[in-house]
Amino acid sequence: MFLSTEMRSSSSGATTLGLNLRLSGQSECRSSRLLEHWSEIWHRQPLSAIETARIANELPLMGATTERLRGDRPLAGHALLVTGHFLTDLVHLVDCLARLGAPLEAMTVLRKDYAYQWRHRVHGHLAGRGVRIADSTDPEAIHRHGRRAQRAGLRPLALDDGGYVAPVLMDDAAADPDGGGVSQWAGVVEQTMSGVYKLRGRESELSFPVFSVAQSRLKGRIESYWIAEKAVTTALSLLPATKIEGQPALVVGYGSVGAQIATLLDQRRMRVAVHDTDVLHLIDAHESGYTTARSLTDLLAGHRPLLVFGATGRTCMSTPEFLALRRPVYLASVSSRDVEFDLPALEALAVDQPASRVAARPSSRAQRIPGGTEVTVLAEGRPVNFHETDSISNLHSDLVYAGMLVGACAIATRPAPPGLDPAWADDVLQSSGLLDDYYERYGPPSSSRHA
């Protein structure tokens, strides 16, 4: 057990006492169980009024959007189901939903299980507010939420992050052609492309509208740089001491985020290759100066990347791709969950685990596959931009969360026909005043806007 303290005094006269407590116990003894027990007790303290006020100040677009929309309490009569990363911005999102009329006692948050620094306190705070919390991978939590909403005379409405909700509802509708409980759902707001990909080919099955923040210009043109910058910075920090300049890197998926990752790696003087199944993206990458090929296995074998970023929102590497690797390589996912790299396939190929590499990076998986190539999956295959830190700062997540508030209110008050219509979402976001607010806050000084 080790406890360190630090006293700081600011220029304003305020004094802060910082405490850093470290406890350790053997994993196979009672002390480890005690550590887990006390960790939850210590961590799950609700956020203080000072902390929630600071968080609100970091999310001004959400606050302003709520003020513009709250007059008629548009979410009254709805039971909100929110899929969320347990970061501090989630606390303010829930507060904004409540101010828009959504009853907290009817709200459920589906927890995405990532190792965020504040995750336990966010959990404790939401539970203290009366919000139900469930695992995001548990479809029964969605069913329970729908049944509770029906008993309370409320319409369920989901704010999703990764396609956890809509596919479950579509499967339920397919199992019950009469609609059953699915017909009561007002709709789903989806903010990730991985969630949109899960609907591809099934759009005709949707019996409710999907408001796609994921495909909006708001998200694609502004947020993608922030995600890419965080992903590149974190991935490089997880590598052992390595000179990356002049080393080959590969970006799989040249969408809005992948294109930004390629640019950032190029700026760090790596030799960047790009692969995408969309030939238009491939042409764009080629004419931007990157090495490209139609075959991913050929590109892996020929370019011999040290670092591979998966940014497709789907599985981009499995057995054939792993066997095409020709040198020790590090794989970094930038998608929700762990879908980019086929981890079971990699596990099946493994002939042993390089113990020294695993010990050096306990958050990563290292395998040696046939041919002797060592493959290290950073952050255990989960998104590196979410690894033990905030994905992006609150000031950056503010824009997309504000867009989700706009989407939820649009579904509640201006319902569209069932289906996925990105143009509808873009039109609603464009007319909401959110982008104007963003420009007013972060654009050029007012004196120079009309110069």
Side-chain angles (χ1 to χ4, degrees), residues 135-144 164 168:
D135 190 328
S136 62
T137 60
D138 178 13
E140 280 304 311
I142 300 170
H143 299 147
R144 290 193 298 270
Y164 292 87
V168 171

Side-chain angles (χ1 to χ4, degrees), residues 113-125:
D113 186 22
Y114 294 91
Y116 298 123
Q117 182 178 4
W118 285 70
R119 64 192 183 280
H120 298 301
R121 293 202 64 200
V122 170
H123 187 128
H125 186 86

Side-chain angles (χ1 to χ4, degrees), residues 223-236 257 260-262 264-265 267-268 309 334 384-385 391-393 396:
E223 188 199 41
S224 56
Y225 170 78
W226 303 329
I227 295 173
E229 199 279 333
K230 186 69 173 182
V232 170
T233 300
T234 304
L236 294 179
V257 173
Q260 295 285 358
I261 290 174
L264 290 168
L265 294 174
Q267 290 172 354
R268 285 165 170 78
F309 281 90
V334 196
V384 290
N385 48 307
S391 172
I392 53 180
S393 74
H396 289 153

Side-chain angles (χ1 to χ4, degrees), residues 237-260:
S237 74
L238 292 173
L239 300 182
T242 304
K243 183 179 180 299
I244 63 167
E245 294 83 2
Q247 295 280 3
L250 171 63
V251 180
V252 187
Y254 198 68
S256 55
V257 173
Q260 295 285 358

Side-chain angles (χ1 to χ4, degrees), residues 125-284:
H125 186 86
L126 296 178
R129 296 271 278 155
V131 175
R132 288 180 175 84
I133 298 171
D135 190 328
S136 62
T137 60
D138 178 13
E140 280 304 311
I142 300 170
H143 299 147
R144 290 193 298 270
H145 179 81
R147 291 193 293 268
R148 283 193 299 268
Q150 193 167 32
R151 288 195 298 269
L154 303 171
R155 296 196 72 192
L157 193 163
L159 277 68
D160 203 3
D161 185 333
Y164 292 87
V165 180
V168 171
L169 298 181
M170 294 163 72
D171 291 341
D172 290 347
D176 182 1
D178 294 329
V182 176
S183 60
Q184 67 174 319
W185 281 78
V188 174
V189 180
E190 176 57 62
Q191 73 135 322
T192 68
M193 283 307 299
S194 61
V196 171
Y197 290 143
K198 291 178 183 178
L199 304 180
R200 290 280 167 87
R202 301 186 65 185
E203 292 89 344
S204 62
E205 300 176 42
L206 288 166
S207 58
F208 47 83
V210 174
F211 189 98
S212 180
V213 176
Q215 295 166 289
S216 68
R217 291 182 299 165
L218 172 150
K219 183 177 174 77
R221 295 195 180 186
I222 300 176
E223 188 199 41
S224 56
Y225 170 78
W226 303 329
I227 295 173
E229 199 279 333
K230 186 69 173 182
V232 170
T233 300
T234 304
L236 294 179
S237 74
L238 292 173
L239 300 182
T242 304
K243 183 179 180 299
I244 63 167
E245 294 83 2
Q247 295 280 3
L250 171 63
V251 180
V252 187
Y254 198 68
S256 55
V257 173
Q260 295 285 358
I261 290 174
T263 298
L264 290 168
L265 294 174
D266 184 60
Q267 290 172 354
R268 285 165 170 78
R269 305 181 75 179
M270 298 191 79
R271 295 185 291 110
V272 182
V274 169
H275 180 267
D276 200 295
T277 56
D278 185 323
V279 69
L280 185 59
H281 287 174
L282 209 57
I283 292 170
D284 187 10

Side-chain angles (χ1 to χ4, degrees), residues 43-47 52 82-98 104-105 107-112 118-134 401:
H43 279 142
R44 287 194 177 175
Q45 300 304 309
L47 300 173
T52 55
V82 182
T83 308
H85 296 276
F86 271 42
L87 300 165
T88 56
D89 52 11
L90 179 62
V91 168
H92 192 56
L93 176 64
V94 167
D95 285 344
C96 289
L97 292 171
L104 287 170
E105 66 275 11
M107 193 179 299
T108 302
V109 173
L110 301 181
R111 172 175 173 155
K112 300 187 75 168
W118 285 70
R119 64 192 183 280
H120 298 301
R121 293 202 64 200
V122 170
H123 187 128
H125 186 86
L126 296 178
R129 296 271 278 155
V131 175
R132 288 180 175 84
I133 298 171
Y401 265 7

